[in-house]
């Protein structure tokens, strides 16, 4: 079946600058695709590559859309380069309806701001009912952040757990200090302690994962489908942070993860509501061993029309289904 293809670019300022170990991030750029079949049925997708995750750019995605010449079928989709995983996801999801969900609702992790601001934010998240928390670390000096960890844990109710995301911002010695400190504390996992491009990173991550009782999670090490497959083949025992928005071949890759019994954290790529509908649809349909969703990110944009469902301790599939892609397409000229 051949579809008529259109695309529209968006540029959206974040409500507040996203601070990560990669540096400040102020403007979300991406593009929407719209496919129309001969019978008039319409589907939408979002390509939202993340700076620091591979080489895919919005410019490359747009050039590829133009090269497709306003039409798409299964054969031309299969020829879109694997390196453009976000665009492949956008096009594939515009071709297909949301998969059937296996759950009515899923737990969500609360995202805490980096640094001392986490201590101010945590009580309101606790009050809202969250029990899984995520704190961005490797943003300030390690000594300061290590000193804050127990203060932060002290604010959380019994039975809570916390995820620490270093975004690849530590060296091996600092990572070892954190793994020592996290032992015996309610730390669910430490995410991406070492940079993907650090010399010997794979061996070092495998070593740390075996040497400490605290689990590790891979995020930046998993740019796309090929990375996930490689780490499964390496026998990675930690968590996999899966951003469906970046998985061009999500069905195949997630099938491999469930077959491997992997623990998966479905996470936002800070996409808009249009892409989030797809990403969350994939998460709700996945049969494997999942943990709280990493989708506690909204409100995210100055223009609130582009937000996904507001962060809450549980996300209902009904709220995902209700997101209307045509509204965002029409709002983006
Ligand atoms: Mg991360």
């Amino acid at each position: 079946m051949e579809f008529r293809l259109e695309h529209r670019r968006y540029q959206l300022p974040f409500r507040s600058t996203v601070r990560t170990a990669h540096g400040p991030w102020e403007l979300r750029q991406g593009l929407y695709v719209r496919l129309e079949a001969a019978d008039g049925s319409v589907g939408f997708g979002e390509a939202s590559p993340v700076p620091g995750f591979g080489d895919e750019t919005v410019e490359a995605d747009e050039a590829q859309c133009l090269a497709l010449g306003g039409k798409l079928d299964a054969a031309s989709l299969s020829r879109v380069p694997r390196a453009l995983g976000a665009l492949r996801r956008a096009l594939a999801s515009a071709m297909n309806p949301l998969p059937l969900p296996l759950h009515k609702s899923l737990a969500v992790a609360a995202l805490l701001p980096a640094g001392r601001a986490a201590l101010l934010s945590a009580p309101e998240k606790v009050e809202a009912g969250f029990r899984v928390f995520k704190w961005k670390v490797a943003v300030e000096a390690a000594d300061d952040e290590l000193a804050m960890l127990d203060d932060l844990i002290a604010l959380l109710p019994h039975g809570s757990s916390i995820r620490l995301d270093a975004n690849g911002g530590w060296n091996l010695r600092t990572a070892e200090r954190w793994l020592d400190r996290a032992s015996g504390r309610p730390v669910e996992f430490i995410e991406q302690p070492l940079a993907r491009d650090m010399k010997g990173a794979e061996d070092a991550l495998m070593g740390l994962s075996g040497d400490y009782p605290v689990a590790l999670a891979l995020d930046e090490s998993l740019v796309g489908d090929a990375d996930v497959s490689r780490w499964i083949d390496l026998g990675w025992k930690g968590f996999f942070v899966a951003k469906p928005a970046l998985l061009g071949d999500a069905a195949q890759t997630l099938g491999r993860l469930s077959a491997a019994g992997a623990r998966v954290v479905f996470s936002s790529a800070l996409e808009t509501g249009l892409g989030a509908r797809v990403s969350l649809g994939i998460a709700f349909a996945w049969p494997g061993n999942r943990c709280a969703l990493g989708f506690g990110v909204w409100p995210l944009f100055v223009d609130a029309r582009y937000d996904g469902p507001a962060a809450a301790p549980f996300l209902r599939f009904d709220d995902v289904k209700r997101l209307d892609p045509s509204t965002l397409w029409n709002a983006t000229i």
Side-chain angles (χ1 to χ4, degrees):
M1 184 161 42
E2 187 171 278
F3 298 86
R4 195 162 72 85
L5 165 67
E6 288 179 82
H7 72 275
R8 288 179 182 175
R9 273 184 72 158
Y10 65 75
Q11 288 201 51
L12 298 168
F14 290 119
R15 280 160 54 101
S16 44
T17 302
V18 178
R19 297 170 70 196
T20 76
H22 305 300
W25 188 15
E26 290 171 352
L27 192 66
R28 188 61 169 113
Q29 300 193 64
L31 63 83
Y32 292 150
V33 297
R34 177 185 185 275
L35 294 182
E36 185 172 336
D39 66 1
S41 60
V42 169
F44 297 91
E46 174 176 349
S48 41
V50 179
F53 278 72
D55 301 324
E56 185 173 359
T57 61
V58 188
E59 287 73 22
D61 291 343
E62 184 167 37
Q64 180 65 46
C65 283
L66 292 169
L68 285 164
K71 52 189 195 294
L72 186 78
D73 59 18
S76 55
L77 173 58
S78 71
R79 290 194 295 273
V80 173
R82 308 246 153 220
L84 304 183
L87 180 63
R88 288 171 60 88
R89 168 95 322 274
L91 295 169
S93 43
M95 264 189 193
N96 297 291
L98 279 189
L100 289 176
L102 296 174
H103 306 268
K104 282 202 164 118
S105 72
L106 291 172
V108 176
L111 186 59
L112 300 174
R116 188 156 290 278
L119 302 176
L120 299 173
S121 168
E124 67 192 56
K125 302 284 188 190
V126 169
E127 185 66 25
F130 287 99
R131 291 300 177 264
V132 182
F133 301 84
K134 170 167 168 168
W135 186 36
K136 292 268 182 195
V137 286
V139 176
E140 298 182 357
D143 284 337
D144 294 342
E145 289 178 340
L146 278 162
M148 270 182 261
L149 178 63
D150 279 344
D151 293 343
L152 182 54
I153 288 172
L155 296 171
L156 309 182
H158 185 72
S160 301
S161 61
I162 184 163
R163 304 168 171 179
L164 305 173
D165 187 357
N167 285 117
W170 292 330
N171 59 26
L172 187 58
R173 177 70 198 113
T174 305
E176 288 169 342
R177 286 180 69 199
W178 275 94
L179 279 158
D180 267 330
R181 179 66 62 91
S183 301
R185 289 175 166 79
V187 173
E188 186 182 15
F189 54 74
I190 293 181
E191 187 172 322
Q192 200 69 41
L194 307 176
R196 171 195 175 90
D197 57 4
M198 190 188 93
K199 194 164 180 290
E202 285 191 11
D203 287 345
L205 286 164
M206 290 296 282
L208 289 175
S209 174
D211 289 348
Y212 290 87
V214 178
L216 297 181
L218 299 176
D219 186 2
E220 283 85 348
S221 285
L222 309 177
V223 168
D225 305 277
D227 287 327
V228 175
S229 286
R230 196 176 68 256
W231 283 95
I232 292 173
D233 293 340
L234 283 168
W236 179 250
K237 293 282 184 281
F239 292 75
F240 291 75
V241 176
K243 295 177 165 55
L246 304 183
L247 298 177
D249 298 302
Q252 190 183 348
T253 298
L254 292 166
R256 285 210 68 196
L257 283 166
S258 61
R263 293 176 291 180
V264 172
V265 186
F266 285 96
S267 285
S268 163
L270 304 191
E271 61 269 64
T272 72
L274 193 156
R277 182 173 184 273
V278 172
S279 299
L280 288 163
I282 289 170
F284 271 84
W286 191 65
N289 183 5
R290 94 201 50 245
C291 332
L293 298 171
F295 278 90
V297 296
W298 298 290
L300 188 60
F301 301 108
V302 171
D303 185 340
R305 292 176 298 175
Y306 288 86
D307 283 324
F314 289 90
L315 185 60
R316 299 180 312 150
F317 183 73
D318 283 347
D319 295 330
V320 175
K321 216 169 49 179
R322 199 172 295 130
L323 294 166
D324 177 10
S326 62
T327 307
L328 296 189
W329 171 263
N330 292 331
T332 308
I333 305 295

